[in-house]
Amino acid sequence: MIINHPLLGPRDAQEFTYLGDASLINRPDWQATDAQDQFYDYLYLRNNPAGLHRELWFHEIGDRSWLVVTRDTVTHEITKVEMASDVAKEPGRNQ
Amino acid sequence: MRYSGFRVIKEALTGHKGWTAAWRDPEPQTHYDIVIIGGGGHGLATAYYLAKKYTKKRIAVLEKGWIGGGNVGRNTTIIRSNYLLNGNEPFYELSLKLWEGLEQDLNYNAMVSQRGILNLFHSDPQRDAFVRRGNAMILNGADAELLSVAQIRDRYPFLDFENARFPIKGGLAQHRGGTVRHDAVAWGYARGADQHGVDIIQNCEVTGFRIENGRCKGVETTRGFIGASKVGCAVAGSSGRLMAKADMRLPIESHVLQAFVSEGLKPIIPGVITFGAGHFYCSQSDKGGLVFGGDLDGYNSYAQRGNLPTVEDVCESGMALIPALGRSRLLRMWGGIMDMSMDGSPIIDRTHIDGLYFNGGWCYGGFKATPASGLVFAHLLATDTPHEVATEFRFDRFRRGYMIDEKGMGAQPNLH
């Protein structure tokens, strides 16, 4: 697989390590009253779709940036690559 | 029809006209007492033990393709019970005991071959860990023996003992481990279940569940609605896809695992060997092909094929362990989809929906578990209580903090 890095261009997927579903960016608030339930969902449950999947890849042997890759889990086709920091900031977070 | 040597001779002398189909091909009825989704090893074994041991009720197995066409036909056929944790080891030891009596029980030649499995270690800490594991196995009634380098040299002279980075320091052997002809397991269970009255319905894909007031009333399929008092799902690999139809999110990711077979060679490798310094295992099939595999590709996938970097990685590990491997040519390779659970252990449990039961999350250890998985899932379906060796394979263990994490990797499925 080739991952088209937004800053570096097309890079071999071997340079990256895989973490998992992009929802892992949104860590729940540990002070929420239902934090225990939220963390159970966050840590253990997955949508695990057959089809388009947004997922976190780390450019370990490259610029060490985190990317959000949109990839089809049935065909392995990659349709979109974003910087994870941009994705994280979208809902209004400052980091 | 009972199979026997006498029957083979008789049929040979009478032109093989007496053989009948090993199982029927029935039309689905409108209602069953128990419907099992998934005609693989686990689903068929569940139906077999349900019908044989637990209940006289009407049972059906629904399979979207042909039976045995999924993971039971795509694995590397190894059986063993060399686990450490109390939640796992009694279950896998029961499974190995069932393998030992399987062919007589089923009256079917599944080519169960207890040629032994050897886990190599390459450092002192690893030896300590293996000693501990061996003791845990013995405490649970399994067999384990720590082999010295001299003993291993005697039996496996072709290993790279003096590898500069990973010299072999010894190994933990389980002599009762081995291999089984995987397709025959599916066929044997299918035949056995059919003889006990189970309807095996192929080309019947489940497209949805009919759930009313928190109770599962049956399944929608490509061959119409099939009502059921209880529905058991045994579709490891596709669990995420199937249970999404019941609006369930699982502690499971689907990953692709590749396996390899070389061209046929004369006998060289006795038993199963695993490399302790990388993820690589190898055995030799009865046809002579070297059967081997290694790590997952590492990313979510429902494609039954992987990518080349993993091929290279597996072959490098293989060369580090068995240099002679480089002289053989690869005949074929393939990928299978694994239910990778959050702690590397399976789930056999009721769901929060009444009448809906789940069996999955087998990671890449599903094949060896087939008989015990079938037995304990049948027990659960028939009695609504977990079998005594499967009390820890529960959905809520993650919420409660009682993971069965053999490798201590945490909730990172691609590392288990």
Side-chain angles (χ1 to χ4, degrees):
Chain A
M1 289 191 296
I2 303 287
I3 295 175
N4 196 5
H5 194 298
L7 303 177
L8 305 174
R11 309 298 307 179
D12 195 314
Q14 264 191 291
E15 296 176 4
F16 296 78
T17 55
Y18 178 84
L19 182 69
D21 196 301
S23 65
L24 291 168
I25 291 175
N26 302 312
R27 183 188 290 266
D29 175 11
W30 63 275
Q31 289 177 307
T33 47
D34 60 345
Q36 206 163 352
D37 287 336
Q38 283 193 42
F39 268 100
Y40 166 67
D41 267 32
Y42 169 81
L43 199 55
Y44 296 118
L45 300 186
R46 299 285 186 271
N47 288 335
N48 194 23
L52 289 183
H53 185 229
R54 294 184 84 207
E55 55 201 22
L56 284 163
W57 290 76
F58 177 54
H59 199 189
E60 188 176 32
I61 317 179
D63 70 344
R64 304 186 74 77
S65 59
W66 282 94
L67 304 182
V68 173
V69 175
T70 307
R71 188 178 56 93
D72 192 317
T73 57
V74 178
T75 63
H76 294 166
E77 186 193 4
I78 293 170
T79 47
K80 194 174 177 187
V81 183
E82 304 153 270
M83 300 296 291
S85 54
D86 293 343
V87 174
K89 282 172 192 162
E90 260 166 39
R93 272 165 51 167
N94 56 6
Q95 57 173 347
Chain B
M1 177 195 289
R2 260 196 86 73
Y3 294 154
S4 65
F6 170 73
R7 169 71 70 172
V8 171
I9 294 166
K10 185 181 168 215
E11 291 298 332
L13 295 174
T14 54
H16 291 290
K17 295 198 178 89
W19 300 114
T20 54
W23 53 84
R24 296 165 294 131
D25 184 21
E27 283 298 311
Q29 298 175 20
T30 52
H31 189 276
Y32 289 93
D33 294 308
I34 300 176
V35 161
I36 293 153
I37 305 171
H42 291 227
L44 293 165
T46 305
Y48 172 73
Y49 290 114
L50 256 178
K52 184 178 177 229
K53 279 194 71 169
Y54 287 101
T55 172
K56 294 288 169 216
K57 290 177 175 173
R58 287 179 305 154
I59 301 163
V61 176
L62 309 183
E63 167 56 46
K64 76 171 174 182
W66 62 92
I67 59 164
N71 284 339
V72 74
R74 303 179 82 86
N75 56 74
T76 45
T77 78
I78 295 163
I79 60 169
R80 58 187 173 88
S81 68
N82 51 3
Y83 283 75
L84 171 70
L85 299 179
N86 287 334
N88 274 332
E89 180 59 14
F91 171 84
Y92 287 104
E93 177 55 21
L94 171 67
S95 201
L96 195 52
K97 288 203 173 78
L98 289 170
W99 282 119
E100 287 171 331
L102 185 77
E103 293 164 308
Q104 297 305 317
D105 187 28
L106 292 177
N107 176 232
Y108 202 89
N109 181 11
M111 295 165 68
V112 177
S113 166
Q114 292 182 289
R115 53 187 73 181
I117 180 165
L118 173 68
N119 300 130
L120 296 168
F121 53 78
H122 309 265
S123 66
D124 291 344
Q126 205 173 18
R127 171 172 33 222
D128 294 346
F130 277 35
V131 167
R132 180 175 173 222
R133 191 203 295 201
N135 286 336
M137 290 161 65
I138 291 165
L139 283 172
N140 282 294
D143 66 306
E145 187 189 356
L146 202 71
L147 298 185
S148 68
V149 176
Q151 285 172 301
I152 296 171
R153 269 187 196 276
D154 189 41
R155 190 162 180 223
Y156 308 90
F158 50 85
L159 297 177
D160 187 1
F161 288 88
E162 308 300 341
N163 186 305
R165 276 186 76 190
F166 310 116
I168 292 168
K169 301 272 194 178
L172 181 69
Q174 183 177 30
H175 301 298
R176 287 162 61 241
T179 60
V180 181
R181 166 98 164 88
H182 51 185
D183 299 314
V185 175
W187 300 332
Y189 274 122
R191 176 169 166 271
D194 183 83
Q195 285 172 348
H196 285 91
V198 173
D199 281 0
I200 297 168
I201 300 159
Q202 304 183 65
N203 299 310
C204 180
E205 181 174 358
V206 171
T207 54
F209 296 93
R210 186 174 290 180
I211 295 165
E212 291 168 7
N213 300 323
R215 179 159 189 90
C216 186
K217 302 278 190 186
V219 289
E220 307 285 351
T221 75
T222 49
R223 293 172 72 169
F225 174 75
I226 298 174
S229 307
K230 291 179 177 178
V231 176
C233 307
V235 297
S238 298
S239 293
R241 234 190 305 203
L242 179 67
M243 301 316 280
K245 299 181 202 299
D247 290 329
M248 283 182 69
R249 295 173 79 218
L250 303 174
I252 286 171
E253 286 180 3
S254 293
H255 283 259
V256 59
L257 175 67
Q258 301 189 66
F260 309 83
V261 171
S262 79
E263 59 189 335
L265 303 169
K266 287 188 176 180
I268 165 173
I269 294 183
V272 183
I273 305 167
T274 74
F275 188 30
H279 194 168
F280 176 82
Y281 56 90
C282 187
S283 63
Q284 189 165 20
S285 77
D286 290 341
K287 279 196 290 188
L290 303 178
V291 184
F292 58 95
D295 268 325
L296 296 170
D297 271 41
Y299 42 81
N300 284 45
S301 175
Y302 282 95
Q304 286 179 317
R305 58 183 170 75
N307 275 305
L308 289 171
T310 308
V311 178
E312 186 179 20
D313 183 59
V314 170
C315 291
E316 279 174 356
S317 297
M319 288 293 291
L321 179 66
I322 310 171
L325 210 60
R327 305 294 290 182
S328 67
R329 280 167 296 188
L330 212 53
L331 187 64
R332 56 198 173 89
M333 56 202 238
W334 65 95
I337 305 305
M338 313 290 122
D339 269 13
M340 296 305 296
S341 69
M342 289 291 159
D343 59 359
S345 295
I347 296 162
I348 304 174
D349 200 2
R350 288 182 285 188
T351 67
H352 68 282
I353 299 162
D354 281 343
L356 184 61
Y357 300 75
F358 179 79
N359 175 335
W362 288 101
C363 301
Y364 33 83
F367 179 70
K368 75 177 93 65
T370 304
S373 167
L375 183 70
V376 306
F377 197 37
H379 183 96
L380 177 71
L381 281 162
T383 66
D384 272 320
T385 51
H387 190 279
E388 61 178 0
V389 299
T391 51
E392 296 192 25
F393 297 155
R394 311 296 297 273
F395 266 117
D396 66 356
R397 67 175 186 261
F398 302 100
R399 190 187 284 277
R400 292 184 301 122
Y402 283 86
M403 267 78 74
I404 315 170
D405 194 345
E406 287 274 342
K407 283 193 177 174
M409 289 296 188
Q412 189 59 43
N414 60 352
L415 298 182
H416 284 295

